[in-house]
Amino acid sequence: MKKFDLLTPIGILIGISMVAFGVISSGGVQGFLIFIDFPSMLIVLGGVFGALCVSFPIRQLRNMWRVGLQAFQSKESNVDELIEKFVQLSELARREGLLVLEAEMDKVHDPFVRKGLLLAIDGVEPEVIKEMLEAEIIGIEERHSKGRSVFEKAGDYAPAWGMVGTLIGLVLMLRNLNTPSTLGPNMAIALLTTLYGSLLSNLLFQPIAAKLAVKTEQEVFMKEVVIEAVVGLQSGQNPRLLQEKLKAFIPAKKARQSLLKERASVREA
């Protein structure tokens, strides 16, 4: 089940707040208003969007916002629960055979897990199951990489378009050298596009791309656990041996906590 990921908007707000604090603490509210220039914003945003239109097909750009929303969502993934579930299925399969798992399919909602279990029930060889599921992981990584690449490129283009806007401002400023009183204000406005480009790149586009990469790693990790579990299940591996093998995917600290919890439950029994 997906939940709203508070860390992403909190991080963006912290970044914006620090910039605003730095400006207001030095120049007050009036100083903050100086940093708002809509033509400079349009140069950077329009330039970045135009560069993205050149770089990517329309279908990929259309999915940009849907992909970006993933950075604001978090999906619960508990490897301990996943291992426990497969151990239970393994015990059931050893007692009554793999075909009995068909009755358990209604309780499985993850498409990847369902596919693996169905292949196991159909008697597909473990090596073939592993190859098929790993091929699906490769496909997932490729799709995620394509969606993420739009934000990575936007992060690359934003500072460059900020510099373009600054160069435009400098050219216009140099044409008015005969009025020295306007040089300072014009120079400040010219530099704003560089600021906008840097902020968009380092506070929005690149961080979102990094967050999406982390989410892909987490999803792939869970799917690798599923592959090992399904292969062990299909090959008739002892449930306890399967449990120990899957525990290798749990970080050491968490594995120790899980072991202590198991021992406590055994003592209570």
Side-chain angles (χ1 to χ4, degrees):
M1 182 178 177
K2 290 186 177 181
K3 294 183 177 180
F4 186 68
D5 189 346
L6 281 173
L7 276 179
T8 302
I10 286 174
I12 294 173
L13 285 174
I14 288 173
I16 294 173
S17 299
M18 292 302 99
V19 173
F21 173 76
V23 172
I24 293 174
S25 63
S26 300
V29 178
Q30 291 297 324
F32 181 76
L33 295 176
I34 293 172
F35 281 79
I36 298 175
D37 186 68
F38 291 106
S40 298
M41 292 180 187
L42 287 175
I43 289 173
V44 177
L45 291 173
V48 169
F49 182 71
L52 291 176
C53 288
V54 175
S55 302
F56 298 98
I58 186 65
R59 184 176 179 181
Q60 204 164 338
L61 287 178
R62 202 179 290 150
N63 290 333
M64 178 181 179
W65 310 114
R66 182 179 59 80
V67 172
L69 286 176
Q70 300 302 313
F72 295 84
Q73 297 176 339
S74 63
K75 186 178 180 181
E76 290 184 0
S77 54
N78 192 319
V79 68
D80 290 318
E81 290 182 3
L82 184 65
I83 292 173
E84 185 180 345
K85 179 64 177 176
F86 269 101
V87 170
Q88 291 173 356
L89 292 174
S90 178
E91 290 172 346
L92 185 63
R94 275 177 71 87
R95 287 197 310 266
E96 304 180 40
L98 284 170
L99 291 177
V100 76
L101 298 181
E102 289 183 344
E104 300 292 318
M105 294 305 294
D106 292 337
K107 302 176 185 176
V108 179
H109 305 293
D110 188 311
F112 191 81
V113 177
R114 284 180 64 88
K115 182 176 181 178
L117 288 176
L118 287 172
L119 289 171
I121 292 170
D122 290 341
V124 180
E125 291 296 320
E127 295 80 8
V128 178
I129 293 176
K130 191 169 185 178
E131 287 177 6
M132 292 178 68
L133 295 181
E134 284 179 346
E136 186 164 333
I137 287 179
I138 292 172
I140 290 170
E141 288 180 313
E142 183 66 23
R143 288 197 305 274
H144 288 193
S145 177
K146 284 183 177 179
R148 191 170 65 246
S149 65
V150 178
F151 288 92
E152 291 171 343
K153 281 297 181 184
D156 292 337
Y157 292 146
W161 276 99
M163 185 58 66
V164 168
T166 296
L167 293 173
I168 292 171
L170 289 175
V171 170
L172 295 174
M173 182 190 71
L174 291 173
R175 291 191 62 181
N176 295 312
L177 283 177
N178 56 338
T179 54
S181 62
T182 64
L183 294 182
N186 287 339
M187 182 66 176
I189 292 174
L191 293 174
L192 281 178
T193 51
T194 298
L195 174 64
Y196 293 154
S198 296
L199 282 176
L200 284 172
S201 175
N202 296 294
L203 191 57
L204 190 66
F205 296 134
Q206 294 288 7
I208 284 179
K211 191 67 168 280
L212 293 173
V214 169
K215 289 182 178 293
T216 298
E217 289 176 4
Q218 291 173 343
E219 184 175 346
V220 169
F221 170 77
M222 292 297 292
K223 283 175 169 42
E224 288 174 348
V225 177
V226 171
I227 290 175
E228 292 298 325
V230 170
V231 168
L233 181 70
Q234 203 280 338
S235 58
Q237 199 167 60
N238 183 286
R240 295 302 143 205
L241 290 177
L242 177 62
Q243 184 180 35
E244 291 303 316
K245 183 173 76 170
L246 295 179
K247 279 184 178 179
F249 288 92
I250 303 175
K253 184 177 180 181
K254 196 172 180 182
R256 179 173 173 77
Q257 291 174 347
S258 179
L259 180 61
L260 291 173
K261 188 177 178 181
E262 283 183 17
R263 287 177 178 174
S265 62
V266 168
R267 286 170 189 161
E268 289 175 3

